[in-house]
Each structure stands twice: as C-alpha cells, then as structure tokens.
Amino acid sequence: MARPEIAWLPGDGIGAEVLPAARLVLDAAGFQADYLPGDIGWAFWRKEGTPLPDRTIELLRSTDCAFLGAVTSKPDPDARSELPERLRAKGARYSSAVLRIRRMFDLYTCLRPCKSFPGNPGNMSEGIDITILRENTEGMYSGAEWDKIPQELYNIRGMERVPRQAAITIRAVTRKASHRIAKAAFWRAGKGPRRVDAPGGGRPGTGDGRRLVTAVHKANVMRATDGVFLAATREVALEHPEVGYEEMLIDACAMQLVRDPRRFDIIVTTNLFGDILSDLCAQLVGGMGFAPSANIGEKYAMFEPSHGSAPDIAGQGVANPVAAILSAGMMLDWLGEKERAAALERAVAEVIQEGRVRTPDMGGTMGTMAMATAIAAKLRKGT
Ligand code: ATP
C-alpha cells in the first residue's frame, strides 16, 4: 500500500488524550502515514445537532481507515437538554456516531483481544489470552426502537403477552451476519499462533492442541434470534474440524470467565452480549486501560480503545494509553505492517513487565504521556 491515509478522530474526554499517546508510539515504530483530523463527538452535537457531521463521513469515505479516541453518548432527554433552542426546534435527535459508522461502512467484526501482560498488577491471573468477536451491525443494536409500541403490532400473534404502553427494541439477527462473524472467528482460530502458556502447549478447552471457538448465546430463551445465530456458527464449525468448537449460554459464560478465564480462547457472539463480555474480560486483565478494539469490514476499518470518554478522569492526563496504543498495533496489523505491530506489542509487554512506569489504574502515579514515552523509547531501541 502507498502511504496510508488515516482519519484521525480524537473525540471526547480521554479520547483526545490517548490519541497523541498512540501517535507518539506509531511514529516511534517508524510507521509513515498521513493523519487527517476529523470532527466527531459531543461538542459537535451541541454546536451542530449531530455528533457525526457530513464532512467527517466524507473524510472516512476518502481514507484507508480511521482511528477514534472516544465519543460521549447520553440518553435521549439528557442529550436534547444540552441542545440550543434553535436545534431543538429543528427536532435534532441524538444517534450514536460510532454505531452509525459501524453500520454505514458495514464494519461487521468488532475484535476485542484481552491479554494479561505478565507483571500487570491488575491481572486477575496470568496466562489470560481471550479474543472476543462481537457481531457489530445488528442484534440489540439494530436501532429499531419505539418509546411506545405501534398499535398495529398488537395484531400479531404473541403480542397478547406484551403489556400495553411498553417501549420496544427490535433484536434483529440474520443468517448472513451470523455466518460472516462465525467465519471471521474460525478464520482467526485457524491461522492464529498456538498459545504456549497453556498446560501441554495446547488449548485447555480442547485438550488436544487445537484452538477453541466458543459461541455464546441464549437460544434457550431467545429461540428465534439466537437459533439463527447458532445454526450459522454450527455450519461454519463443520467446515473447520481443525478448530475446537463449543457453545455456552451467556450467563454461564460470564460465570466461567470469572472462575476460569484461561480455558477460553476465541469467543464469538452477538452485539450486546459481546459488548458486555468485553468489559468483563477487560477487567480480568487490568481494566479498560488495557482493552483495545478494531471494527473491521471488507474494505474499511476503524480502530479505537474499547473504553469511553471516561468523564471521571478526563482532563487530568492520567488515562492509561495502553488500550489506544494496542489499538494502533491492531491498525498496523490490518494495514499489513505485521512486524511493526509485533514490535509494538513487545514494547508494551516489556514496559509493563519492568513496572517502572505505571498509571493510576495500575496503582502508580505516572501520566498518559509518560507511559507512551516509555513504550516509544523501547520501540526506538528495537525491542
Ligand atoms: P462513556 O460515557 O463515554 O462511555 P464512561 O465513563 O461511562 O464513558 P468508560 O469510559 O468506559 O465509560 O469508563 C469506565 C471506567 O473505566 C471509568 O471509571 C473510567 O475512569 C475507567 N477508565 C476507562 N478508560 C480508562 C483508561 N484509559 N485509563 C484508566 N481508566 C479508565
């Protein structure tokens, strides 16, 4: 690829603080790109009545990929109350910028690795290495919602059980989206490196050295939607005998993740379950400051730390930049810069292991840029 063009979207709160940290590390890795700044976030909602102006969508359309800090989002009444009268009168309605981008560019895989780097004081245990693939375009986040159920829906069979005046959200699950997220999971399982820290060098879940995909669902209750999801993952599993496959209920999975996180390898699941499990997994390996993510489609991708704008710590320069830096590593990997991506991760691992630079979430006193500077220095030394 020629010099890549990256839409650079700092956004709100600590998003704008961790992006310069990620940039410092990308530069130290010797990565050459054009970073094109874009407007996104709460300030634009308040000024323009949208957190995602059209000019930013154009920027995304003209670049190779995007890198996002974080976007604040609030429930409807709170969002509307912050609009000037002029925009409220126009009937501006808040909708999540991140969800719009995921849907608009069909970024169907939300990839969230959670790894316990040796020496991280926040690790629940060593040897955790879980990758979550969350379906990113439908499910509970389909965007079809009503404050009141439209009257005509009450004529449908089954609706007699639904109370009048209820609000409603449609959980849409298609075979197409389920199939392609399952394919992405098995593709990763098939091509990924074997984990060496598990007993016997193989995966604890399969016991025979194969990698393991766990499909997480609630098909015993949500029979229609998760039935479609499971049928699709089973179909893909049959095409991949070289990979172990199991199914687990979402509630049991949450419990097992806390009880024995090392048994998990790759988790594939629907949108909301994936969102919740990825925060749970982040906490197993030190918290949101260690949770990178990538939203990947066929032609475009957007990289972002899994955390939000964290208003409680914003503006103090103390946010842990590791999640953003690891997201930058995922971007390098996606752009084909495999060696730089691997070097970046080694530099992160070394700084964590040494324990000289720790942000407050790790029990230390150092700031965002101190952590980034330490990682950049390792990279420049050629870790
Ligand atoms: P938003 O409303 O934008 O989603 P939030 O505060 O509700 O923001 P997160 O940003 O995910 O949600 O933060 C959850 C918790 O994790 C907060 O207490 C926050 O301070 C902490 N946190 C998040 N990211 C980091 C980080 N990079 N470093 C340290 N702590 C973090």
Side-chain angles (χ1 to χ4, degrees), residues 316-328:
Q316 301 167 35
V318 295
N320 187 340
V322 167
I325 290 168
L326 291 173
S327 306

Side-chain angles (χ1 to χ4, degrees), residues 44 169 228 254 304:
F44 300 95
T169 298
V228 168
E304 54 171 334

Side-chain angles (χ1 to χ4, degrees), residues 70-382:
V71 174
T72 297
S73 74
K74 300 185 186 180
D76 254 344
D78 303 344
R80 266 202 297 270
S81 72
E82 293 195 26
L83 276 188
E85 188 46 46
R86 159 183 70 85
L87 292 170
R88 224 179 302 168
K90 275 193 184 164
R93 278 188 77 95
Y94 187 87
S95 70
S96 159
V98 176
L99 292 193
R100 276 186 69 201
I101 293 172
R102 287 173 181 162
R103 273 202 293 265
M104 203 178 287
F105 291 85
D106 204 17
L107 307 180
Y108 61 87
T109 301
C110 185
L111 190 62
R112 294 188 161 178
C114 291
K115 215 181 246 190
S116 56
F117 286 97
N120 185 349
N123 288 340
M124 293 281 174
S125 73
E126 302 294 323
I128 300 171
D129 187 356
I130 302 169
T131 301
I132 297 180
L133 282 92
R134 156 189 173 195
E135 202 294 318
N136 219 11
T137 59
E138 55 178 38
M140 287 300 279
Y141 294 31
S142 64
E145 293 201 287
W146 297 271
D147 306 333
K148 248 198 245 147
I149 301 180
Q151 195 52 42
E152 55 273 27
L153 273 186
Y154 282 105
N155 302 328
I156 299 173
R157 186 171 58 85
M159 285 298 285
E160 64 279 359
R161 290 195 292 272
V162 177
R164 298 268 152 176
Q165 306 301 323
I168 187 170
T169 298
I170 301 285
R171 182 179 202 252
V173 174
T174 63
R175 182 193 174 277
K176 180 184 165 198
S178 304
H179 195 263
R180 65 186 181 174
I181 192 73
K183 265 179 76 171
F186 279 89
W187 179 79
R188 294 198 79 77
K191 84 170 185 83
R194 301 240 170 264
R195 238 177 43 161
V196 288
D197 54 348
R203 303 295 317 173
T206 55
D208 61 5
R210 287 179 305 159
R211 298 201 61 181
L212 175 66
V213 170
T214 306
V216 176
H217 66 97
K218 191 72 181 174
N220 57 340
V221 176
M222 296 188 283
R223 292 168 185 276
T225 46
D226 270 348
V228 168
F229 172 71
L230 274 191
T233 52
R234 283 178 191 177
E235 200 182 310
V236 179
L238 283 175
E239 294 162 11
H240 289 274
E242 78 284 7
V243 176
Y245 175 67
E246 64 176 357
E247 294 165 1
M248 202 176 282
L249 291 169
I250 174 66
D251 39 356
C253 180
M255 183 194 71
Q256 287 291 349
L257 275 167
V258 175
R259 201 176 74 92
D260 185 14
R262 287 169 44 117
R263 75 174 293 295
F264 289 93
D265 181 4
I266 290 176
I267 290 176
V268 62
T269 190
T270 48
N271 208 336
L272 176 61
F273 294 165
D275 198 4
I276 296 169
L277 288 186
S278 48
D279 272 27
L280 193 163
C281 288
Q283 198 55 48
L284 295 175
V285 299
M288 298 309 291
F290 293 91
S293 87
N295 305 276
I296 301 175
E298 297 294 334
K299 298 199 182 98
Y300 199 75
M302 180 168 73
F303 302 85
E304 54 171 334
S306 295
H307 60 72
S309 58
D312 54 333
I313 56 166
Q316 301 167 35
V318 295
N320 187 340
V322 167
I325 290 168
L326 291 173
S327 306
M330 293 172 83
M331 179 174 79
L332 290 175
D333 187 71
W334 186 79
L335 288 167
E337 297 273 358
K338 306 281 176 200
E339 278 173 26
R340 287 197 168 95
L344 181 150
E345 189 166 319
R346 281 198 303 276
V348 169
E350 235 180 83
V351 168
I352 294 173
Q353 176 111 57
E354 284 175 4
R356 278 199 286 268
V357 182
R358 285 184 174 167
T359 43
D361 58 322
M362 303 170 78
T365 54
M366 309 285 259
T368 307
M369 289 314 281
M371 175 61 93
T373 303
I375 294 168
K378 287 277 177 223
L379 264 170
R380 281 200 204 91
K381 253 181 38 198

Side-chain angles (χ1 to χ4, degrees), residues 8-80:
W8 195 248
L9 313 171
D12 301 311
I14 63 167
E17 298 173 36
V18 295
L19 252 65
R23 176 66 196 276
L24 186 76
V25 172
L26 284 165
D27 289 348
F31 174 62
Q32 307 270 325
D34 291 323
Y35 297 91
L36 308 173
D39 296 335
I40 196 166
W42 200 249
F44 300 95
W45 163 248
R46 295 180 65 179
K47 261 194 306 203
E48 303 179 25
T50 173
L52 182 65
D54 288 346
R55 60 185 177 280
T56 306
I57 296 171
E58 281 314 307
L59 174 71
L60 299 178
R61 289 214 169 98
S62 69
T63 45
D64 295 296
C65 63
F67 198 90
L68 171 70
V71 174
T72 297
S73 74
K74 300 185 186 180
D76 254 344
D78 303 344
R80 266 202 297 270

